[in-house]
C-alpha cells in the first residue's frame, strides 16, 4: 500500500533530523529506500502535496513536510498546491500570513 | 478513596503562539483570559493530580506504531516542539496513579498502551503551562500531571463512544484508589479546524456552538453519536479532537458543563471553546 510507505517517508522527513539532511543532500538517494513508484517519488521530490493527499496521505504530514523542507515554506503556496484559489487563498489566517 | 473532582475542555492551538497578534485585541483577551480563569478554577478545586487528555498530530507516533490510547506511566518531558511561549523540561508525573489506571484497565477490558519514558507535545503542554502551572503557583505545591493520548489526528481513530468509556474507566480506577486523590481531568482540543487541508482557515461556528451546548447539557450520548465523516465534513479533521472532550466528560460523574468562553478565531484557524465540567450537577 503506497499510502503507508508515503506516510513513512514523510513522517521521517518531518521528525528525523538525519532524514531531512539526507533528503536535502540527495532526494533520489533518500527515496531509494522506499518501495515507491517513480510517480510517487516525484510527488515527494516536487512537494506535490495535492497528489500526496489524493493518495490518502494524512494532511498533517503533508503540512509538516512542506513546512520543514519545501523551498519557500509559504503556506499560501501550500494552499495553491492543494488547489485553492481566489478568496480561499486570501482567507485570512495567521498560518497564511506567514507565507 | 480517590475521586474526580472536576474537569475542563480547553484548546491547544499552536497558532496562537506563533501568531499571537493576528486576531483583534478583544479576541486575544477572551482567549488568554479564559486560560487564566481555568487556572483559577483548577486551583479552587484543590486537586492533587491532573490528567490531560491530548492527541498526537503525527509527530510523536509514526506509521510504524499508532496507539488507539496510551498513557504516560513514567518519566515525562517536553514539549517536543519548539513553540514560542512554551518551555521545554522535565514534567512531574503521578506514576502510582497512572500505573493504577493501567492495571485497573487490564482487569476491566481496557488494554492500555503505556509510555514509560514519554515526550509530550503541545496538546499536553499548552494546558499544562497555561493552566496547571499557574494553579500550582496559587496552591504553592506541585500538581503531578498524567498524560493520556487518544487517536484523534491519525486514523484509525478511537471511536467516540470508546473515548467516553475510557473516561469512565479512568474514573473507576481513581475511585478504586485508597489514596485520597482529588483528580481533575482536562480534555484538550480545538473544536472546528482544518489542519493541512485546502479548507484550512475556515471555522464552523454553528458546529462549535452545537458542541458547547452538548457540553453545557452534559449530553454525553449526543456528543458520542457523531459520525466521523460528518465531523470531518462539517468541522474539519481537527474537530476529531472532540474525542478528548468525550473522554473528559465520561470521567466526571454525572457531569454538566459551564461555558467559560468561546471564540471563533479564523486567524488562529480554530473554534476555541473553554468549559468546566462539574460533577454530580444533574
Amino acid at each position: 500500500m503506497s499510502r503507508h510507505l508515503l506516510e513513512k517517508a514523510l513522517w521521517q522527513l518531518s521528525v528525523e533530523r538525519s532524514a531531512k539532511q539526507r533528503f536535502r543532500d540527495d532526494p533520489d538517494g533518500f527515496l531509494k529506500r522506499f518501495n515507491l513508484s517513480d510517480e510517487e517519488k516525484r510527488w515527494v521530490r516536487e512537494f506535490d502535496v495535492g497528489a500526496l493527499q489524493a493518495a490518502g496521505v494524512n494532511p498533517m504530514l503533508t503540512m509538516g513536510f512542506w513546512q520543514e523542507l519545501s523551498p519557500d515554506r509559504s503556506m499560501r503556496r501550500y494552499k495553491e498546491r492543494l488547489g485553492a484559489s481566489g478568496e480561499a487563498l486570501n482567507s485570512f489566517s495567521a498560518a497564511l500570513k506567514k507565507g | 478513596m480517590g475521586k474526580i473532582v472536576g474537569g475542563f475542555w480547553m484548546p491547544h492551538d499552536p497558532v496562537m503562539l506563533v501568531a499571537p497578534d493576528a486576531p483583534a485585541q478583544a479576541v486575544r483577551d477572551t482567549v488568554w483570559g479564559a486560560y487564566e480563569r481555568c487556572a483559577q478554577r483548577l486551583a479552587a478545586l484543590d486537586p492533587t493530580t491532573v490528567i490531560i487528555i491530548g492527541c498526537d498530530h503525527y509527530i510523536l507516533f509514526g506509521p510504524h506504531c499508532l496507539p488507539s490510547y496510551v498513557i504516560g506511566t513514567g518519566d515525562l518531558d517536553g514539549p517536543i516542539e519548539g513553540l514560542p511561549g512554551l518551555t521545554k523540561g522535565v514534567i512531574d508525573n503521578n506514576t502510582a496513579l497512572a500505573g493504577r489506571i493501567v492495571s485497573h484497565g487490564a482487569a476491566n477490558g481496557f488494554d492500555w498502551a503505556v509510555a514509560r519514558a514519554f515526550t509530550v507535545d503541545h496538546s499536553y503542554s499548552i494546558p499544562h503551562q497555561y493552566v496547571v502551572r499557574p494553579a500550582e503557583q496559587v496552591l504553592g505545591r506541585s500538581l503531578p500531571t498524567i498524560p493520556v493520548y487518544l487517536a484523534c489526528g491519525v486514523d484509525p481513530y478511537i471511536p467516540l463512544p470508546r473515548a467516553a468509556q475510557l473516561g469512565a474507566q479512568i474514573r473507576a480506577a481513581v475511585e478504586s484508589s485508597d489514596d485520597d486523590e482529588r483528580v481533575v481531568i482536562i480534555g484538550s482540543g480545538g473544536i472546528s479546524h482544518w489542519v493541512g487541508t485546502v479548507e484550512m482557515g475556515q471555522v464552523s461556528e454553528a458546529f462549535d456552538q452545537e458542541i458547547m451546548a452538548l457540553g453545557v447539557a452534559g449530553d454525553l450520548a449526543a456528543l458520542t453519536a457523531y459520525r466521523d465523516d460528518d465531523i470531518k465534513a462539517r468541522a474539519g479533521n481537527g474537530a476529531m479532537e472532540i474525542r478528548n472532550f468525550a473522554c473528559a466528560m465520561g470521567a466526571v460523574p454525572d457531569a454538566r458543563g459551564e461555558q467559560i468562553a468561546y471564540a471563533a478565531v479564523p486567524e488562529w484557524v480554530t473554534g476555541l471553546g473553554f468549559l468546566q465540567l462539574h460533577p454530580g450537577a444533574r
Side-chain angles (χ1 to χ4, degrees), chain B residues 159-187:
Chain B
L160 264 167
R162 188 63 169 168
Q165 292 162 7
L166 200 65
Q169 187 263 315
I170 290 170
R171 180 179 74 235
V174 168
E175 291 174 348
S176 74
S177 167
D178 292 332
D179 299 330
D180 291 329
E181 288 280 1
R182 293 174 57 81
V183 177
V184 172
I185 188 161
I186 295 174

PDB file of all heavy atoms in Angstrom, chain B residues 159-187:
ATOM      1  N   PRO B 159     -12.911   5.205  18.488  1.00  0.00           N
ATOM      2  CA  PRO B 159     -14.326   5.554  18.350  1.00  0.00           C
ATOM      3  C   PRO B 159     -14.778   6.486  19.483  1.00  0.00           C
ATOM      4  O   PRO B 159     -14.329   6.345  20.629  1.00  0.00           O
ATOM      5  CB  PRO B 159     -15.033   4.196  18.442  1.00  0.00           C
ATOM      6  CG  PRO B 159     -13.992   3.190  18.047  1.00  0.00           C
ATOM      7  CD  PRO B 159     -12.695   3.756  18.559  1.00  0.00           C
ATOM      8  N   LEU B 160     -15.642   7.418  19.146  1.00  0.00           N
ATOM      9  CA  LEU B 160     -16.110   8.379  20.159  1.00  0.00           C
ATOM     10  C   LEU B 160     -16.693   7.693  21.395  1.00  0.00           C
ATOM     11  O   LEU B 160     -16.361   8.068  22.529  1.00  0.00           O
ATOM     12  CB  LEU B 160     -17.153   9.313  19.533  1.00  0.00           C
ATOM     13  CG  LEU B 160     -16.640  10.658  19.022  1.00  0.00           C
ATOM     14  CD1 LEU B 160     -17.700  11.328  18.153  1.00  0.00           C
ATOM     15  CD2 LEU B 160     -16.264  11.562  20.183  1.00  0.00           C
ATOM     16  N   PRO B 161     -17.552   6.671  21.226  1.00  0.00           N
ATOM     17  CA  PRO B 161     -18.085   6.016  22.438  1.00  0.00           C
ATOM     18  C   PRO B 161     -16.975   5.374  23.276  1.00  0.00           C
ATOM     19  O   PRO B 161     -17.048   5.362  24.505  1.00  0.00           O
ATOM     20  CB  PRO B 161     -19.045   4.955  21.879  1.00  0.00           C
ATOM     21  CG  PRO B 161     -19.419   5.456  20.519  1.00  0.00           C
ATOM     22  CD  PRO B 161     -18.196   6.152  20.007  1.00  0.00           C
ATOM     23  N   ARG B 162     -15.951   4.857  22.594  1.00  0.00           N
ATOM     24  CA  ARG B 162     -14.853   4.244  23.335  1.00  0.00           C
ATOM     25  C   ARG B 162     -14.098   5.302  24.142  1.00  0.00           C
ATOM     26  O   ARG B 162     -13.628   5.030  25.257  1.00  0.00           O
ATOM     27  CB  ARG B 162     -13.903   3.539  22.363  1.00  0.00           C
ATOM     28  CG  ARG B 162     -12.822   2.706  23.025  1.00  0.00           C
ATOM     29  CD  ARG B 162     -13.393   1.564  23.836  1.00  0.00           C
ATOM     30  NE  ARG B 162     -12.372   0.622  24.262  1.00  0.00           N
ATOM     31  CZ  ARG B 162     -12.584  -0.331  25.169  1.00  0.00           C
ATOM     32  NH1 ARG B 162     -13.780  -0.454  25.751  1.00  0.00           N
ATOM     33  NH2 ARG B 162     -11.621  -1.167  25.500  1.00  0.00           N
ATOM     34  N   ALA B 163     -13.960   6.483  23.594  1.00  0.00           N
ATOM     35  CA  ALA B 163     -13.301   7.564  24.329  1.00  0.00           C
ATOM     36  C   ALA B 163     -14.062   7.872  25.618  1.00  0.00           C
ATOM     37  O   ALA B 163     -13.463   8.082  26.682  1.00  0.00           O
ATOM     38  CB  ALA B 163     -13.191   8.807  23.454  1.00  0.00           C
ATOM     39  N   ALA B 164     -15.382   7.894  25.532  1.00  0.00           N
ATOM     40  CA  ALA B 164     -16.194   8.152  26.719  1.00  0.00           C
ATOM     41  C   ALA B 164     -16.077   7.003  27.725  1.00  0.00           C
ATOM     42  O   ALA B 164     -15.982   7.211  28.938  1.00  0.00           O
ATOM     43  CB  ALA B 164     -17.647   8.367  26.317  1.00  0.00           C
ATOM     44  N   GLN B 165     -16.069   5.768  27.202  1.00  0.00           N
ATOM     45  CA  GLN B 165     -15.905   4.604  28.085  1.00  0.00           C
ATOM     46  C   GLN B 165     -14.548   4.642  28.790  1.00  0.00           C
ATOM     47  O   GLN B 165     -14.436   4.271  29.968  1.00  0.00           O
ATOM     48  CB  GLN B 165     -16.036   3.312  27.277  1.00  0.00           C
ATOM     49  CG  GLN B 165     -17.425   3.053  26.737  1.00  0.00           C
ATOM     50  CD  GLN B 165     -17.426   2.027  25.606  1.00  0.00           C
ATOM     51  OE1 GLN B 165     -16.404   1.410  25.306  1.00  0.00           O
ATOM     52  NE2 GLN B 165     -18.576   1.865  24.963  1.00  0.00           N
ATOM     53  N   LEU B 166     -13.557   5.083  28.057  1.00  0.00           N
ATOM     54  CA  LEU B 166     -12.221   5.184  28.642  1.00  0.00           C
ATOM     55  C   LEU B 166     -12.231   6.198  29.796  1.00  0.00           C
ATOM     56  O   LEU B 166     -11.594   5.971  30.843  1.00  0.00           O
ATOM     57  CB  LEU B 166     -11.229   5.610  27.563  1.00  0.00           C
ATOM     58  CG  LEU B 166      -9.761   5.338  27.815  1.00  0.00           C
ATOM     59  CD1 LEU B 166      -9.475   3.834  27.870  1.00  0.00           C
ATOM     60  CD2 LEU B 166      -8.913   5.981  26.714  1.00  0.00           C
ATOM     61  N   GLY B 167     -12.944   7.286  29.612  1.00  0.00           N
ATOM     62  CA  GLY B 167     -13.072   8.260  30.700  1.00  0.00           C
ATOM     63  C   GLY B 167     -13.707   7.629  31.929  1.00  0.00           C
ATOM     64  O   GLY B 167     -13.257   7.837  33.061  1.00  0.00           O
ATOM     65  N   ALA B 168     -14.751   6.832  31.711  1.00  0.00           N
ATOM     66  CA  ALA B 168     -15.413   6.162  32.846  1.00  0.00           C
ATOM     67  C   ALA B 168     -14.463   5.179  33.529  1.00  0.00           C
ATOM     68  O   ALA B 168     -14.485   5.026  34.761  1.00  0.00           O
ATOM     69  CB  ALA B 168     -16.669   5.446  32.355  1.00  0.00           C
ATOM     70  N   GLN B 169     -13.625   4.520  32.726  1.00  0.00           N
ATOM     71  CA  GLN B 169     -12.652   3.587  33.323  1.00  0.00           C
ATOM     72  C   GLN B 169     -11.609   4.353  34.142  1.00  0.00           C
ATOM     73  O   GLN B 169     -11.208   3.904  35.221  1.00  0.00           O
ATOM     74  CB  GLN B 169     -11.974   2.750  32.229  1.00  0.00           C
ATOM     75  CG  GLN B 169     -11.083   1.631  32.780  1.00  0.00           C
ATOM     76  CD  GLN B 169      -9.606   2.010  32.837  1.00  0.00           C
ATOM     77  OE1 GLN B 169      -9.073   2.575  31.893  1.00  0.00           O
ATOM     78  NE2 GLN B 169      -8.944   1.705  33.940  1.00  0.00           N
ATOM     79  N   ILE B 170     -11.189   5.500  33.668  1.00  0.00           N
ATOM     80  CA  ILE B 170     -10.248   6.325  34.436  1.00  0.00           C
ATOM     81  C   ILE B 170     -10.889   6.705  35.776  1.00  0.00           C
ATOM     82  O   ILE B 170     -10.258   6.613  36.832  1.00  0.00           O
ATOM     83  CB  ILE B 170      -9.846   7.581  33.629  1.00  0.00           C
ATOM     84  CG1 ILE B 170      -8.966   7.184  32.428  1.00  0.00           C
ATOM     85  CG2 ILE B 170      -9.126   8.586  34.516  1.00  0.00           C
ATOM     86  CD1 ILE B 170      -8.706   8.314  31.442  1.00  0.00           C
ATOM     87  N   ARG B 171     -12.155   7.103  35.726  1.00  0.00           N
ATOM     88  CA  ARG B 171     -12.850   7.455  36.977  1.00  0.00           C
ATOM     89  C   ARG B 171     -12.896   6.256  37.922  1.00  0.00           C
ATOM     90  O   ARG B 171     -12.604   6.372  39.114  1.00  0.00           O
ATOM     91  CB  ARG B 171     -14.274   7.941  36.685  1.00  0.00           C
ATOM     92  CG  ARG B 171     -15.020   8.320  37.966  1.00  0.00           C
ATOM     93  CD  ARG B 171     -16.421   8.828  37.679  1.00  0.00           C
ATOM     94  NE  ARG B 171     -17.340   7.778  37.295  1.00  0.00           N
ATOM     95  CZ  ARG B 171     -18.061   7.744  36.190  1.00  0.00           C
ATOM     96  NH1 ARG B 171     -17.963   8.736  35.314  1.00  0.00           N
ATOM     97  NH2 ARG B 171     -18.880   6.758  35.937  1.00  0.00           N
ATOM     98  N   ALA B 172     -13.254   5.078  37.390  1.00  0.00           N
ATOM     99  CA  ALA B 172     -13.350   3.887  38.236  1.00  0.00           C
ATOM    100  C   ALA B 172     -11.993   3.543  38.848  1.00  0.00           C
ATOM    101  O   ALA B 172     -11.915   3.143  40.020  1.00  0.00           O
ATOM    102  CB  ALA B 172     -13.879   2.712  37.409  1.00  0.00           C
ATOM    103  N   ALA B 173     -10.933   3.717  38.069  1.00  0.00           N
ATOM    104  CA  ALA B 173      -9.594   3.443  38.592  1.00  0.00           C
ATOM    105  C   ALA B 173      -9.236   4.416  39.704  1.00  0.00           C
ATOM    106  O   ALA B 173      -8.681   4.028  40.741  1.00  0.00           O
ATOM    107  CB  ALA B 173      -8.566   3.520  37.459  1.00  0.00           C
ATOM    108  N   VAL B 174      -9.556   5.695  39.499  1.00  0.00           N
ATOM    109  CA  VAL B 174      -9.287   6.699  40.535  1.00  0.00           C
ATOM    110  C   VAL B 174     -10.070   6.364  41.797  1.00  0.00           C
ATOM    111  O   VAL B 174      -9.544   6.418  42.924  1.00  0.00           O
ATOM    112  CB  VAL B 174      -9.647   8.110  40.013  1.00  0.00           C
ATOM    113  CG1 VAL B 174      -9.653   9.127  41.140  1.00  0.00           C
ATOM    114  CG2 VAL B 174      -8.687   8.530  38.902  1.00  0.00           C
ATOM    115  N   GLU B 175     -11.326   5.981  41.622  1.00  0.00           N
ATOM    116  CA  GLU B 175     -12.179   5.697  42.791  1.00  0.00           C
ATOM    117  C   GLU B 175     -11.768   4.403  43.497  1.00  0.00           C
ATOM    118  O   GLU B 175     -12.127   4.189  44.652  1.00  0.00           O
ATOM    119  CB  GLU B 175     -13.647   5.636  42.344  1.00  0.00           C
ATOM    120  CG  GLU B 175     -14.182   7.008  41.930  1.00  0.00           C
ATOM    121  CD  GLU B 175     -15.596   6.953  41.353  1.00  0.00           C
ATOM    122  OE1 GLU B 175     -16.072   5.827  41.056  1.00  0.00           O
ATOM    123  OE2 GLU B 175     -16.200   8.030  41.200  1.00  0.00           O
ATOM    124  N   SER B 176     -11.021   3.546  42.804  1.00  0.00           N
ATOM    125  CA  SER B 176     -10.564   2.301  43.425  1.00  0.00           C
ATOM    126  C   SER B 176      -9.312   2.519  44.271  1.00  0.00           C
ATOM    127  O   SER B 176      -8.845   1.599  44.947  1.00  0.00           O
ATOM    128  CB  SER B 176     -10.276   1.243  42.352  1.00  0.00           C
ATOM    129  OG  SER B 176      -9.065   1.553  41.673  1.00  0.00           O
ATOM    130  N   SER B 177      -8.784   3.733  44.224  1.00  0.00           N
ATOM    131  CA  SER B 177      -7.558   4.025  44.953  1.00  0.00           C
ATOM    132  C   SER B 177      -7.852   4.274  46.425  1.00  0.00           C
ATOM    133  O   SER B 177      -8.842   4.925  46.777  1.00  0.00           O
ATOM    134  CB  SER B 177      -6.880   5.257  44.342  1.00  0.00           C
ATOM    135  OG  SER B 177      -5.870   5.733  45.181  1.00  0.00           O
ATOM    136  N   ASP B 178      -6.984   3.762  47.288  1.00  0.00           N
ATOM    137  CA  ASP B 178      -7.110   4.034  48.717  1.00  0.00           C
ATOM    138  C   ASP B 178      -6.637   5.439  49.057  1.00  0.00           C
ATOM    139  O   ASP B 178      -6.980   5.979  50.101  1.00  0.00           O
ATOM    140  CB  ASP B 178      -6.299   3.010  49.529  1.00  0.00           C
ATOM    141  CG  ASP B 178      -6.897   1.617  49.430  1.00  0.00           C
ATOM    142  OD1 ASP B 178      -8.126   1.523  49.229  1.00  0.00           O
ATOM    143  OD2 ASP B 178      -6.137   0.640  49.530  1.00  0.00           O
ATOM    144  N   ASP B 179      -5.826   5.984  48.186  1.00  0.00           N
ATOM    145  CA  ASP B 179      -5.310   7.327  48.449  1.00  0.00           C
ATOM    146  C   ASP B 179      -6.436   8.349  48.267  1.00  0.00           C
ATOM    147  O   ASP B 179      -7.346   8.158  47.468  1.00  0.00           O
ATOM    148  CB  ASP B 179      -4.175   7.651  47.484  1.00  0.00           C
ATOM    149  CG  ASP B 179      -3.016   6.673  47.634  1.00  0.00           C
ATOM    150  OD1 ASP B 179      -2.819   6.178  48.757  1.00  0.00           O
ATOM    151  OD2 ASP B 179      -2.336   6.395  46.625  1.00  0.00           O
ATOM    152  N   ASP B 180      -6.318   9.435  49.003  1.00  0.00           N
ATOM    153  CA  ASP B 180      -7.337  10.487  48.893  1.00  0.00           C
ATOM    154  C   ASP B 180      -7.001  11.417  47.734  1.00  0.00           C
ATOM    155  O   ASP B 180      -6.858  12.629  47.919  1.00  0.00           O
ATOM    156  CB  ASP B 180      -7.445  11.266  50.201  1.00  0.00           C
ATOM    157  CG  ASP B 180      -8.043  10.409  51.309  1.00  0.00           C
ATOM    158  OD1 ASP B 180      -8.867   9.524  50.981  1.00  0.00           O
ATOM    159  OD2 ASP B 180      -7.681  10.616  52.476  1.00  0.00           O
ATOM    160  N   GLU B 181      -6.874  10.833  46.572  1.00  0.00           N
ATOM    161  CA  GLU B 181      -6.557  11.636  45.392  1.00  0.00           C
ATOM    162  C   GLU B 181      -7.767  12.481  44.991  1.00  0.00           C
ATOM    163  O   GLU B 181      -8.900  12.001  44.965  1.00  0.00           O
ATOM    164  CB  GLU B 181      -6.183  10.731  44.213  1.00  0.00           C
ATOM    165  CG  GLU B 181      -4.838  10.058  44.327  1.00  0.00           C
ATOM    166  CD  GLU B 181      -3.682  10.974  43.954  1.00  0.00           C
ATOM    167  OE1 GLU B 181      -3.937  12.150  43.615  1.00  0.00           O
ATOM    168  OE2 GLU B 181      -2.539  10.506  44.024  1.00  0.00           O
ATOM    169  N   ARG B 182      -7.487  13.729  44.685  1.00  0.00           N
ATOM    170  CA  ARG B 182      -8.508  14.623  44.109  1.00  0.00           C
ATOM    171  C   ARG B 182      -8.028  14.943  42.683  1.00  0.00           C
ATOM    172  O   ARG B 182      -7.082  15.686  42.487  1.00  0.00           O
ATOM    173  CB  ARG B 182      -8.647  15.901  44.936  1.00  0.00           C
ATOM    174  CG  ARG B 182      -9.217  15.661  46.342  1.00  0.00           C
ATOM    175  CD  ARG B 182      -9.193  16.942  47.160  1.00  0.00           C
ATOM    176  NE  ARG B 182      -9.921  18.024  46.534  1.00  0.00           N
ATOM    177  CZ  ARG B 182     -11.250  18.178  46.598  1.00  0.00           C
ATOM    178  NH1 ARG B 182     -11.989  17.296  47.275  1.00  0.00           N
ATOM    179  NH2 ARG B 182     -11.840  19.198  46.005  1.00  0.00           N
ATOM    180  N   VAL B 183      -8.712  14.349  41.712  1.00  0.00           N
ATOM    181  CA  VAL B 183      -8.212  14.369  40.342  1.00  0.00           C
ATOM    182  C   VAL B 183      -9.089  15.272  39.466  1.00  0.00           C
ATOM    183  O   VAL B 183     -10.324  15.207  39.530  1.00  0.00           O
ATOM    184  CB  VAL B 183      -8.181  12.940  39.747  1.00  0.00           C
ATOM    185  CG1 VAL B 183      -7.740  12.966  38.286  1.00  0.00           C
ATOM    186  CG2 VAL B 183      -7.247  12.057  40.575  1.00  0.00           C
ATOM    187  N   VAL B 184      -8.429  16.098  38.687  1.00  0.00           N
ATOM    188  CA  VAL B 184      -9.111  16.918  37.668  1.00  0.00           C
ATOM    189  C   VAL B 184      -8.656  16.430  36.301  1.00  0.00           C
ATOM    190  O   VAL B 184      -7.470  16.178  36.078  1.00  0.00           O
ATOM    191  CB  VAL B 184      -8.799  18.409  37.848  1.00  0.00           C
ATOM    192  CG1 VAL B 184      -9.346  19.215  36.669  1.00  0.00           C
ATOM    193  CG2 VAL B 184      -9.387  18.923  39.159  1.00  0.00           C
ATOM    194  N   ILE B 185      -9.601  16.303  35.374  1.00  0.00           N
ATOM    195  CA  ILE B 185      -9.286  15.790  34.040  1.00  0.00           C
ATOM    196  C   ILE B 185      -9.562  16.884  33.004  1.00  0.00           C
ATOM    197  O   ILE B 185     -10.611  17.529  33.032  1.00  0.00           O
ATOM    198  CB  ILE B 185     -10.067  14.488  33.745  1.00  0.00           C
ATOM    199  CG1 ILE B 185      -9.604  13.855  32.444  1.00  0.00           C
ATOM    200  CG2 ILE B 185     -11.576  14.712  33.779  1.00  0.00           C
ATOM    201  CD1 ILE B 185      -9.983  12.381  32.337  1.00  0.00           C
ATOM    202  N   ILE B 186      -8.594  17.097  32.136  1.00  0.00           N
ATOM    203  CA  ILE B 186      -8.694  18.142  31.112  1.00  0.00           C
ATOM    204  C   ILE B 186      -8.764  17.486  29.735  1.00  0.00           C
ATOM    205  O   ILE B 186      -7.846  16.757  29.349  1.00  0.00           O
ATOM    206  CB  ILE B 186      -7.479  19.091  31.170  1.00  0.00           C
ATOM    207  CG1 ILE B 186      -7.469  19.860  32.498  1.00  0.00           C
ATOM    208  CG2 ILE B 186      -7.498  20.067  29.983  1.00  0.00           C
ATOM    209  CD1 ILE B 186      -6.214  20.716  32.706  1.00  0.00           C
ATOM    210  N   GLY B 187      -9.841  17.740  29.015  1.00  0.00           N
ATOM    211  CA  GLY B 187      -9.941  17.331  27.616  1.00  0.00           C
ATOM    212  C   GLY B 187      -9.376  18.448  26.754  1.00  0.00           C
ATOM    213  O   GLY B 187      -9.935  19.548  26.689  1.00  0.00           O
TER     214      GLY B 187
END
